[in-house]
Amino acid sequence: MQESGTVHDGSTEQPDGTTESDELRQLLRRLEVFAGELPDFDPSRAPGTPVELFTRWLRHAIRAGVREPHAMTVSTADSDGRPAARMLILKDVGPEGWRFASEAGSPKGRQLAARPHAALTFYWSSLARQVRVRGPVVRESAEHAAADFLARGAGARAEALLGRQSRPLTDPAERERALAESLARVEREPGLVAPGWTLHTVRPDTVEFWQGDRSRRHTRLRYVREGDGWRRELLWP
């Protein structure tokens, strides 16, 4: 009987000659996409601004029971142009743009200070819908940032007040002690605001709406800013 071994790519060879990599590729191929009842999207009936359409789609996602429909991927780049991405929560959307918050000393805060541009990606898989927002990022006033910070839960404020996001953690017990002290401080000083807390607004140049289709006849509608208005155009899938 042939025993399993390790092949040159680091994966384990099975008795039948396949590798873990082979099995993973086959598994990925078999995963179903665009399952279930998908919504219709007629771009000819889309509103004049991307904020209006985004609001419709977001409300639809909420009604459809999509989990965390306000979660989005925020993509930035550092001073050398190297990209980074992470999941954040949308704070607000309106005529000015899409808003999110961060600590100024965090990696994304430093990246936005060096290159004040970002891309946001929303994906509601059960609806086969994506929204992609790209544009410059504007730092909102200290008053708006403070209001956003104080609207957060006590635990979230205590964590932000530590100001240590993404730094190496050598001892989890140290984190628990620091967090307990910070939480006690929040309880003593309920109006305390982290000095580096920043509210950002993406003022998009382009916003794309993507509606998936089982037969791969995906619909893509892009809004492109032109002066004070928007031009709409369809894109090939």
Side-chain angles (χ1 to χ4, degrees):
M1 178 180 294
Q2 181 181 358
E3 295 182 358
S4 299
T6 301
V7 295
H8 69 277
D9 65 355
S11 59
T12 302
E13 185 175 0
Q14 305 301 316
D16 62 359
T18 63
T19 68
E20 292 177 350
S21 295
D22 294 330
E23 292 180 346
L24 180 58
R25 282 192 291 270
Q26 294 169 10
L27 174 62
L28 293 175
R29 290 276 186 182
R30 291 195 297 268
L31 291 176
E32 188 175 11
V33 295
F34 310 131
E37 189 75 21
L38 300 181
D40 295 325
F41 176 44
D42 181 356
S44 67
R45 302 178 62 183
T49 71
V51 168
E52 293 176 89
L53 183 54
F54 178 83
T55 301
R56 291 182 188 178
W57 278 27
L58 178 60
R59 291 184 180 278
H60 182 109
I62 293 170
R63 291 195 302 270
V66 174
R67 290 190 60 182
E68 299 176 352
H70 54 338
M72 59 186 177
T73 301
V74 179
S75 302
T76 55
D78 64 17
S79 57
D80 295 322
R82 295 174 297 184
R86 74 289 290 166
M87 299 298 296
L88 291 180
I89 294 297
L90 177 70
K91 293 302 186 77
D92 191 17
V93 62
E96 301 84 7
W98 279 250
R99 287 199 176 107
F100 64 93
S102 73
E103 169 62 42
S106 68
K108 59 183 169 293
R110 297 193 301 270
Q111 290 161 8
L112 288 168
R115 290 175 176 257
H117 287 76
L120 313 178
T121 306
F122 296 84
Y123 181 49
W124 303 312
S125 61
S126 60
L127 304 176
R129 281 182 166 176
Q130 294 183 57
V131 182
R132 302 168 63 194
V133 182
R134 297 178 62 201
V137 178
V138 175
R139 184 171 178 166
E140 296 296 332
S141 69
E143 292 77 15
H144 286 156
D148 175 80
F149 185 83
L150 294 174
R152 293 164 62 87
R157 280 180 284 151
E159 186 75 56
L161 283 166
L162 293 176
R164 303 180 189 179
Q165 189 181 87
S166 299
R167 297 182 186 178
L169 175 64
T170 57
D171 181 5
E174 179 188 0
R175 177 185 183 272
E176 295 307 313
R177 288 192 298 270
L179 188 56
E181 293 173 2
S182 185
L183 186 57
R185 187 183 179 194
V186 167
E187 292 172 350
R188 291 194 309 269
E189 305 173 61
L192 189 63
V193 175
W197 194 252
T198 308
L199 190 62
H200 303 281
T201 299
V202 179
R203 297 185 176 176
D205 297 320
T206 63
V207 183
E208 179 188 329
F209 295 82
W210 186 96
Q211 174 64 66
D213 179 82
R214 289 190 192 86
S215 61
R216 302 308 192 269
R217 293 183 175 87
H218 311 312
T219 301
R220 297 176 63 187
L221 175 67
R222 181 167 62 190
Y223 288 76
V224 181
R225 188 183 294 278
E226 288 190 341
D228 295 330
W230 295 91
R231 170 172 54 86
R232 291 177 294 176
E233 58 187 10
L234 292 174
L235 304 175
W236 280 83

